[in-house]
């Protein structure tokens, strides 16, 4: 379909064409009306009304990647919320505000919200959002060719993001070949650990049960499909307490760090789920939570700033000499995730 703004047309691909069209790089897209257009007050507050928040370069890259994934996965409400947050930040190039503002204008025109643009917290709103997402991911007709195309992308596409999107669509497929094909591929092929985790979530959402034996980060693992977490809140309490501790320690230093810490932790969990490192996280002793929180804090600062003071972090979390080994073990596990290569798949949930 075509959407119009200011006399210019933008092509919005129908959802059924996702597997034929080239992937749009939303980070670099230039809209036809961008040249010299002013950004409205609705999209970009004046400088004196912006929050006193500045983004470090690596954090800006992180948010740009998150925005790209949201758009590719058709999570338009989430994308609009993120853009509004970015427009509230200070110190970015004028072209960034222009691009974000124009993208937000287009999204609000093409995908308007019925309620307040800043409030998606009520159960009714969340259920409506879930219904819209299911409708977008589930085509009206599921012929044999469509099912084969989705399964082919899951097994063979070189882009992790495209594999993840195909797994989202596979949740809604009604065909007898889907479950056995995904299980066979998941247990026999060499699959990126993030895609493995997404596939486990797909199977759980399809109400598949039982155990699967697979290799996770060079370790043999046997996992119960029905126990696969679908959201951070589904993980055991010690894992949630770990990131909450980091959030509480970082919010006074930089108001953007708690969000980044949570995203980094979710990414690490997708890599480590089912491994020996993950099993070590499940110990609910305070010392275990301290060690993993300190390791996450260290990894967060290195990711955002490029460096961190190890001694200061250990003092903050009370990592005494008897806990040093467990702390360094946790640090090695998180470094393993970074070394493996994060969502960017050369090139997300």
């Amino acid at each position: 379909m075509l959407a119009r703004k200011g006399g210019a047309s933008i092509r919005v691909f129908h959802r059924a064409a996702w597997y034929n069209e080239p992937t749009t790089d939303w980070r670099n897209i230039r809209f036809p009306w961008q040249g010299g257009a002013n950004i409205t007050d609705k999209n970009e507050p004046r400088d004196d009304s912006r929050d006193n928040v500045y983004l470090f370069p690596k954090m800006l890259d992180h948010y740009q990647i998150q925005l790209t994934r949201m758009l590719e996965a058709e999570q338009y409400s989430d994308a609009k919320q993120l853009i509004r947050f970015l427009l509230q930040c200070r110190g970015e190039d004028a072209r960034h505000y222009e691009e974000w503002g124009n993208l937000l204008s287009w999204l609000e025109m093409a995908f308007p919200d019925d309620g307040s643009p800043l409030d998606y917290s009520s159960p009714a709103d969340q259920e409506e959002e879930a219904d819209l997402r299911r409708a977008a991911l589930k085509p009206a007709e599921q012929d044999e060719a469509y099912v084969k195309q989705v399964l082919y992308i899951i097994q063979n596409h070189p882009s992790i993001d495209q594999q993840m999107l195909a797994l989202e669509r596979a949740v809604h497929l009604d065909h007898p070949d889907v479950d056995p094909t995904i299980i066979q591929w998941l247990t026999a092929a060499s699959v990126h650990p993030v895609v493995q985790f997404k596939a486990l979530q797909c199977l759980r959402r399809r109400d598949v049960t039982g155990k699967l034996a697979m290799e996770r980060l060079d370790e043999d693992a046997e996992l119960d499909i029905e126990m696969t977490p679908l959201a951070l809140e589904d993980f055991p309490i010690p894992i949630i307490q770990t990131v909450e501790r980091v959030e509480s320690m970082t919010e006074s230093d930089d108001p953007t760090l708690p969000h980044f810490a949570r995203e980094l932790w979710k990414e690490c969990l997708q890599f480590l789920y089912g491994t020996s490192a993950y099993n070590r996280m499940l110990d609910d002793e305070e010392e275990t939570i301290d060690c993993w929180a300190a390791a996450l804090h260290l990894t967060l600062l290195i990711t955002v700033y490029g460096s961190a003071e190890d001694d200061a972090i250990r003092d903050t979390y009370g990592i005494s000499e008897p806990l040093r080994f467990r702390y360094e073990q946790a640090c090695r596990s998180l470094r393993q995730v970074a070394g493996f290569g994060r969502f960017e798949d050369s090139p997300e949930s």
Side-chain angles (χ1 to χ4, degrees):
M1 66 178 178
L2 291 177
R4 291 188 174 273
K5 183 175 179 69
S9 298
I10 310 168
R11 181 167 298 278
V12 181
F13 294 122
H14 290 288
R15 60 177 179 265
W18 68 279
Y19 49 82
N20 292 323
E21 301 292 349
T23 302
T24 303
D25 187 349
W26 294 89
R27 285 165 290 185
N28 299 322
I29 193 168
R30 299 289 298 178
F31 291 95
W33 63 84
Q34 279 185 313
N38 292 326
I39 303 171
T40 65
D41 287 344
K42 176 182 179 183
N43 292 338
E44 183 194 359
R46 295 182 181 89
D47 285 344
D48 58 2
S49 65
R50 284 204 184 106
D51 292 337
N52 191 26
V53 175
Y54 293 82
L55 296 179
F56 287 86
K58 289 189 177 181
M59 296 185 73
L60 176 60
D61 290 343
H62 165 78
Y63 287 126
Q64 294 280 49
I65 291 167
Q66 288 293 104
L67 179 58
T68 300
R69 293 195 185 114
M70 289 174 182
L71 292 166
E72 289 179 345
E74 302 175 7
Q75 297 171 321
Y76 299 122
S77 291
D78 291 339
K80 284 186 280 188
Q81 285 184 286
L82 178 54
I83 294 170
R84 292 186 186 103
F85 166 75
L86 292 171
L87 287 169
Q88 290 291 333
C89 297
R90 294 176 177 267
E92 296 303 319
D93 291 343
R95 64 183 179 85
H96 286 151
Y97 295 117
E98 182 181 356
E99 290 171 356
W100 294 332
N102 284 320
L103 178 55
L104 180 59
S105 295
W106 176 76
L107 285 171
E108 289 181 333
M109 175 192 65
F111 307 99
D113 296 313
D114 294 331
S116 168
L118 295 178
D119 184 9
Y120 298 95
S121 58
S122 72
D125 288 338
Q126 292 174 357
E127 182 60 30
E128 181 180 0
E129 182 78 6
D131 290 341
L132 290 172
R133 180 166 175 75
R134 282 192 292 268
L137 290 168
K138 184 176 181 179
E141 296 182 4
Q142 298 183 9
D143 58 21
E144 192 80 15
Y146 177 82
V147 173
K148 287 183 178 179
Q149 185 73 52
V150 173
L151 295 177
Y152 179 84
I153 290 174
I154 290 173
Q155 299 172 87
N156 299 288
H157 204 288
S159 165
I160 288 177
D161 284 331
Q162 290 300 314
Q163 287 180 299
M164 303 268 277
L165 182 55
L167 285 164
E168 282 275 357
R169 294 180 180 273
V171 171
H172 307 288
L173 294 181
D174 184 14
H175 194 281
D177 289 346
V178 175
D179 295 342
T181 298
I182 293 177
I183 290 172
Q184 193 278 332
W185 160 76
L186 192 56
T187 54
S190 176
V191 181
H192 191 286
V194 169
V195 180
Q196 283 181 327
F197 185 77
K198 186 71 173 181
L200 288 168
Q201 290 181 318
C202 172
L203 291 172
R204 179 186 168 181
R205 291 166 65 191
R206 290 180 57 82
D207 296 323
V208 178
T209 60
K211 295 182 180 291
L212 278 185
M214 67 182 71
E215 190 174 278
R216 295 280 289 162
L217 292 180
D218 299 324
E219 296 181 15
D220 292 329
E222 187 175 65
L223 303 172
D224 289 306
I225 297 172
E226 59 268 34
M227 298 299 293
T228 305
L230 298 180
L232 182 60
E233 294 72 22
D234 295 336
F235 282 92
I237 291 176
I239 287 177
I240 299 173
Q241 290 176 331
T242 296
V243 69
E244 287 176 345
R245 190 158 301 179
V246 177
E247 289 172 331
S248 67
M249 293 294 186
T250 58
E251 61 185 353
S252 61
D253 298 330
D254 183 336
T256 65
L257 282 180
H259 169 81
F260 198 18
R262 183 163 288 246
E263 293 302 312
L264 179 62
W265 188 232
K266 288 192 291 187
E267 189 173 313
C268 291
L269 292 174
Q270 292 177 73
F271 273 88
L272 297 175
Y273 180 73
T275 66
S276 57
Y278 176 82
N279 292 333
R280 288 194 295 272
M281 297 178 196
L282 304 183
D283 186 342
D284 60 0
E285 292 182 358
E286 284 295 313
E287 292 84 357
T288 300
I289 296 171
D290 287 337
C291 289
W292 281 99
L296 176 60
H297 195 155
L298 180 74
T299 305
L300 173 68
L301 295 185
I302 292 174
T303 301
V304 174
Y305 303 140
S307 63
E309 295 184 16
D310 182 74
D311 290 343
I313 289 175
R314 285 192 286 108
D315 288 343
T316 298
Y317 291 90
I319 307 300
S320 58
E321 198 59 35
L323 297 176
R324 186 73 175 266
F325 173 77
R326 291 162 65 181
Y327 161 70
E328 292 181 348
Q329 193 177 37
C331 290
R332 284 195 297 272
S333 295
L334 299 188
R335 281 200 302 270
Q336 183 184 17
V337 171
F340 193 96
R342 289 161 59 184
F343 265 151
E344 275 89 321
D345 87 317
S346 308
E348 319 133 17
S349 194

